[in-house]
Amino acid sequence: MRFARQLSIPGRTLSFQLETIRAERPNQTPLPKPKRQWFLGVRIVGLLAMLMVAIGIWTSTRRDFRPPTIEDTAKSPVKFSHQVIAMEFIQTPEQLPVILGREANNSTDSQNRLAMRAEMRRDFVFIFFYALLYIAVSLLLARRRCPWAVYLAWVAGVCGVGAALFDIRENLAILNVLNTLDLNQLVDQQAVNAIHSAAILKWALSFVTAALLALTFYGLDNSLSFIGYAFTLIAVIGFVSLFYLPLLPWAFVPLIIGLILLSIFAVFRPKKFVKEYC
């Protein structure tokens, strides 16, 4: 804007000119808007976590063992009172009647054998969805622009899928034992070892996966860090429990907490997952 003016006074003429220039704002690069596809991906992770919690509740409420727990825990594997986890860590064929009950010895259609078969069928559904969740969270980790994030994500994904495959192998080995007519005579130590070894490898790979996936949630948001703490605690309790098995059931506590937090934040607060840098 230009402004000019002249003033006349006796013997002299004064003129002045004023020009104003509008300062331009420095160029500001707008912050990149998260893509809707990214929000959708994060919400899928949250839905998978919700499904895990729902399937866990469905599985636990549908169990129909009679009695509900193992009565003679002194003879049970690692003194577990829960039939399913005791079956995973069975050590000798003589422990089968302790887990399934004496009436299961000569009947493939006994109540506890049927209940264990139904448990295996539900577990196949659980395996499918937790394998998807492992892969989905691994993709979140790969997106973080942290040192070695992509490589750690690949390791986490491979370990997670490996855990699912050994879980399937474990279930098939259990079904093989359940289909044996006389538990006292036809089940050999090799069949029992197949269950035990698959279970150990499944849990070991699961804890490695949890330890790696915990890195996904650190540095994003203070509230999301609690998910990382939960996954880290799963791994710590899990690794210790491989040497002291009675501790294993306690790993489910941070697991449930972590899944609930993940489902809430991923579904309802996906923007918290936007940050890519460490």
Side-chain angles (χ1 to χ4, degrees):
M1 178 182 226
R2 182 171 294 178
F3 176 79
R5 187 72 182 264
Q6 285 186 346
L7 294 175
S8 297
I9 58 177
R12 184 173 296 181
T13 301
L14 298 177
S15 64
F16 61 90
Q17 185 175 335
L18 179 65
E19 184 175 357
T20 59
I21 301 174
R22 188 173 187 179
E24 295 182 359
R25 293 182 181 179
N27 292 331
Q28 295 181 351
T29 304
L31 295 174
K33 293 183 179 180
K35 296 181 180 179
R36 288 187 178 182
Q37 292 87 343
W38 171 244
F39 280 179
L40 177 61
V42 173
R43 286 193 170 104
I44 288 174
V45 171
L47 291 174
L48 287 172
M50 281 185 180
L51 273 173
M52 292 286 294
V53 175
I55 293 172
I57 295 172
W58 170 59
T59 299
S60 60
T61 56
R62 296 289 293 175
R63 291 181 182 130
D64 193 22
F65 291 102
R66 299 177 189 175
T69 58
I70 297 173
E71 294 181 327
D72 192 1
T73 55
K75 296 180 180 179
S76 172
V78 201
K79 296 184 179 181
F80 284 134
S81 60
H82 191 283
Q83 287 91 340
V84 177
I85 196 168
M87 195 72 172
E88 292 184 18
F89 294 101
I90 186 170
Q91 297 164 326
T92 64
E94 289 74 24
Q95 291 174 329
L96 285 168
V98 177
I99 299 170
L100 298 175
R102 297 288 176 184
E103 68 280 2
N105 279 0
N106 299 312
S107 173
T108 56
D109 293 328
S110 68
Q111 175 60 36
N112 284 349
R113 284 210 204 190
L114 293 175
M116 189 67 75
R117 285 195 192 97
E119 182 74 18
M120 294 301 102
R121 289 193 293 269
R122 290 188 292 268
D123 197 39
F124 283 123
V125 178
F126 188 76
I127 293 169
F128 175 75
F129 283 106
Y130 83 62
L132 289 181
L133 181 62
Y134 281 155
I135 294 171
V137 180
S138 296
L139 292 175
L140 292 184
L141 176 58
R143 190 175 183 274
R144 298 293 303 276
R145 296 182 184 178
C146 301
W148 306 102
V150 173
Y151 304 103
L152 292 177
W154 271 101
V155 174
V158 170
C159 289
V161 173
L165 292 176
F166 279 111
D167 204 350
I168 292 172
R169 180 179 177 181
E170 171 201 308
N171 287 359
L172 293 176
I174 292 174
L175 289 173
N176 178 55
V177 168
L178 294 175
N179 292 331
T180 301
L181 182 60
D182 190 338
L183 294 179
N184 287 329
Q185 296 179 6
L186 299 181
V187 176
D188 57 12
Q189 187 64 42
Q190 185 176 358
V192 169
N193 291 343
I195 299 172
H196 187 89
S197 60
I200 290 291
L201 290 170
K202 172 195 75 174
W203 286 111
L205 289 173
S206 295
F207 298 141
V208 172
T209 306
L212 294 174
L213 294 184
L215 301 175
T216 308
F217 308 102
Y218 291 125
L220 287 174
D221 181 88
N222 290 335
S223 54
L224 293 185
S225 294
F226 286 103
I227 303 175
Y229 299 147
F231 276 58
T232 301
L233 189 57
I234 294 168
V236 171
I237 295 175
F239 287 131
V240 175
S241 70
L242 293 177
F243 300 95
Y244 183 67
L245 287 174
L247 193 62
L248 180 62
W250 288 100
F252 289 97
V253 176
L255 173 62
I256 294 170
I257 294 173
L259 288 175
I260 292 174
L261 291 176
L262 178 57
S263 62
I264 292 173
F265 287 120
V267 172
F268 301 106
R269 294 290 186 271
K271 289 183 180 180
K272 289 180 176 288
F273 293 82
V274 170
K275 183 179 176 183
E276 298 178 4
Y277 296 91
C278 296

